[in-house]
Amino acid sequence: MKQETKCLHAGYSPKNGEPRALPIYQSTTFKYDSTNHIGKLFDLTAAGHFYSRLSNPTVEAVENKIAALEGGIAAMCTSSGQAASFTSLATIMKAGEHFISTATIYGGTVNLFAVTMKRFGIECTFVDADASEEEIQKAFRPNTRAVFGETLANPALTVCDIEKLARIAHKNGVPLIIDNTFPTPILCRPIEHGADIVIHSTTKYMDGHALCVGGVIVDSGKFDWTNGKFPEFTEPDESYHGTIYSKAFGPAAYIVKARVQLMRDLGMTPSANSAFLLNLGLETLAVRMPQYSRNGQKVAEFLSKHPKIESISYPGLEGDKYHELAKKYLPDGCAGVMSVVIKGGRDGAARFLDAFQLATQCVHVADIRTCALHPATSTHRQLTDEQLAACGIPQGLVRVSIGLENVDDIIADLSQALEKV
């Protein structure tokens, strides 16, 4: 099936007389007729669901759909994108180990990696994604266990050279994990470029309607976990009946381990109702992403020529630093998010945002409705002007997320708002 068809049909195939639409299995537990069958479920030798913290039929259908869209062997949904980021690494790491991440990733993920995971004894080194392979190689250590990057960074709008990172990671015998939230598998499929694990904040374009928070981890099934660096896959797991994941589950060893260890113990479980709502968003994803990109391109071209815009970051623009990489990894469009610096600094940005009539000020991005956010007075409000500058956030920076309204209406609203600057 092509992507458009997968959005509608992958993951759930009703049998004769069953509901055409994906049902909501709003139940924590499931009935079985024998202790023997339940025992097989706990031994992971029979398929099925026994407790919704680990798996649920509605959630499983959505997982299968996303895995199909990304070209992975299997997927696991989580309660948030942050939970997906953490679990993707915690599944293969322990205290005393190290991983590498590109520096231009979502700010919340930076905090997770630099602060919280450090408290757990897992250290991260941030590298310039644009650096040469030789420079990035210098960040590797004997205890390095993964490389992490973001296809289209939030809010920096940098484009990650996935193939370069995959070469470096695989040369060092570790997996490449890619956050593919902004492009979604409609605009980019990182596994095709060498990524081993793909994650998403499904809260964004996949949901699309700003209805529910969620995340997902997709396993490509291609990484060799038996290369000697990951004994937790080749030695018995005493917390789960002595299971040896590489022997019992082969290519699916990683995603099974993530579920029966991390999901079991930490319980970052999505609800069945949230999965149902996410599926509704996925059904229209292949229609929405090209339109976001068309609207985004037109708005970016308008803003790039406006006298009250100091600068704009959008890889779809020919003059953008990442335009060539975007042509390689995002040939069908760059979605609808852009970062613009308004002349007049903090005051200019505030005047611009406060004058919106159609667009919305809200702490969100990648929505069906146009929205915007001023980091200096919201998400980064606690920072001084000097700290903002150190983070690369000008006081006039505004993150704009273009929605699915008529593009002429969006431009008209942004134009009248800029008149107030």
Side-chain angles (χ1 to χ4, degrees):
M1 293 188 290
K2 304 296 184 184
Q3 294 292 77
E4 295 87 348
T5 309
K6 290 178 184 177
C7 284
L8 293 169
H9 294 280
Y12 174 65
S13 299
K15 298 180 179 64
N16 187 48
E18 292 185 343
R20 180 65 194 88
L22 175 65
I24 303 173
Y25 288 86
Q26 193 65 51
S27 180
T28 61
T29 48
F30 306 88
K31 176 184 178 295
Y32 291 97
D33 293 331
S34 72
T35 55
N36 182 54
H37 196 152
I38 293 178
K40 288 181 179 180
L41 292 172
F42 275 88
D43 285 341
L44 306 177
T45 57
H49 309 275
F50 53 86
Y51 193 54
S52 280
R53 185 176 79 239
L54 282 173
S55 65
N56 172 282
T58 308
V59 178
E60 181 186 43
V62 176
E63 292 168 341
N64 291 340
K65 176 174 288 188
I66 295 173
L69 287 167
E70 281 288 9
I73 193 172
M76 183 181 77
C77 285
T78 61
S79 55
S80 71
Q82 285 290 79
S85 295
F86 174 78
T87 305
S88 71
L89 288 157
T91 299
I92 58 174
M93 300 190 70
K94 60 182 181 294
E97 293 184 331
H98 167 261
F99 69 102
I100 294 167
S101 173
T102 57
T104 49
I105 57 174
Y106 170 56
T109 311
V110 172
N111 291 334
L112 171 66
F113 291 174
V115 180
T116 302
M117 293 188 73
K118 188 175 182 180
R119 290 175 57 204
F120 294 164
I122 298 173
E123 189 173 355
C124 176
T125 297
F126 292 97
V127 298
D128 180 357
D130 299 334
S132 67
E133 294 187 34
E134 292 73 21
E135 282 298 312
I136 296 175
Q137 179 62 44
K138 294 176 182 177
F140 279 84
R141 306 174 186 175
N143 63 341
T144 300
R145 292 294 176 265
V147 177
F148 186 99
E150 193 169 345
T151 311
L152 189 56
N154 173 18
L157 278 302
T158 58
V159 179
C160 179
D161 191 342
I162 301 170
E163 291 181 4
K164 179 180 76 174
L165 291 185
R167 282 195 303 272
I168 301 168
H170 296 160
K171 183 174 71 174
N172 290 274
V174 301
L176 172 62
I177 303 172
I178 290 291
D179 182 341
N180 197 37
T181 294
F182 275 1
T184 80
I186 303 304
L187 300 180
C188 180
R189 287 170 292 283
I191 291 171
E192 295 177 3
H193 297 286
D196 302 291
I197 298 156
V198 176
I199 67 167
H200 291 266
S201 168
T202 62
T203 318
K204 310 305 191 298
Y205 283 126
M206 281 189 167
D207 172 292
H209 299 75
L211 294 178
C212 54
V213 175
V216 70
I217 304 169
V218 181
D219 182 2
S220 72
K222 296 180 178 180
F223 189 77
D224 179 13
W225 300 106
T226 66
N227 67 6
K229 287 183 176 286
F230 302 93
E232 58 268 42
F233 287 91
T234 57
E235 297 177 1
D237 177 8
E238 299 306 329
S239 76
Y240 214 99
H241 315 309
T243 296
I244 298 176
Y245 294 102
S246 60
K247 287 186 178 180
F249 303 104
Y254 170 86
I255 203 70
V256 172
K257 184 176 185 293
R259 188 180 300 277
V260 302
Q261 276 192 344
L262 274 293
M263 185 63 79
R264 175 197 66 189
D265 292 347
L266 301 182
M268 66 296 283
T269 310
S271 72
N273 190 66
S274 293
F276 173 81
L277 294 172
L278 171 56
N279 185 64
L280 292 180
L282 290 170
E283 289 182 338
T284 62
L285 188 64
V287 180
R288 290 187 288 110
M289 293 311 297
Q291 189 60 43
Y292 286 123
S293 298
R294 286 190 288 268
N295 281 1
Q297 185 69 29
K298 289 180 180 179
V299 172
E301 290 172 358
F302 162 75
L303 292 175
S304 68
K305 300 170 184 175
H306 199 284
K308 293 185 180 179
I309 299 297
E310 186 174 307
S311 64
I312 179 170
S313 296
Y314 184 75
L317 294 172
E318 287 191 9
D320 190 90
K321 179 180 178 181
Y322 295 95
H323 185 63
E324 290 304 312
L325 279 178
K327 287 197 294 185
K328 177 178 180 179
Y329 293 110
L330 302 161
D332 297 323
C334 296
V337 181
M338 59 198 68
S339 291
V340 296
V341 178
I342 311 295
K343 289 183 178 179
R346 188 184 296 250
D347 181 65
R351 288 175 180 271
F352 172 62
L353 288 161
D354 291 346
F356 284 170
Q357 296 176 1
L358 176 68
T360 306
Q361 287 193 63
C362 63
V363 187
H364 191 49
V365 68
D367 192 356
I368 55 172
R369 303 168 189 84
T370 297
C371 56
L373 183 70
H374 183 221
T377 55
S378 57
T379 55
H380 294 70
R381 188 179 184 89
Q382 289 74 27
L383 302 186
T384 65
D385 292 347
E386 292 75 17
Q387 289 172 322
L388 286 171
C391 291
I393 300 175
Q395 294 187 43
L397 178 72
V398 174
R399 184 185 68 187
V400 182
S401 178
I402 304 303
L404 297 182
E405 302 93 345
N406 183 285
V407 71
D408 293 336
D409 291 334
I410 298 171
I411 290 174
D413 188 42
L414 298 181
S415 180
Q416 66 83 25
L418 285 167
E419 291 176 6
K420 308 298 190 299
V421 176

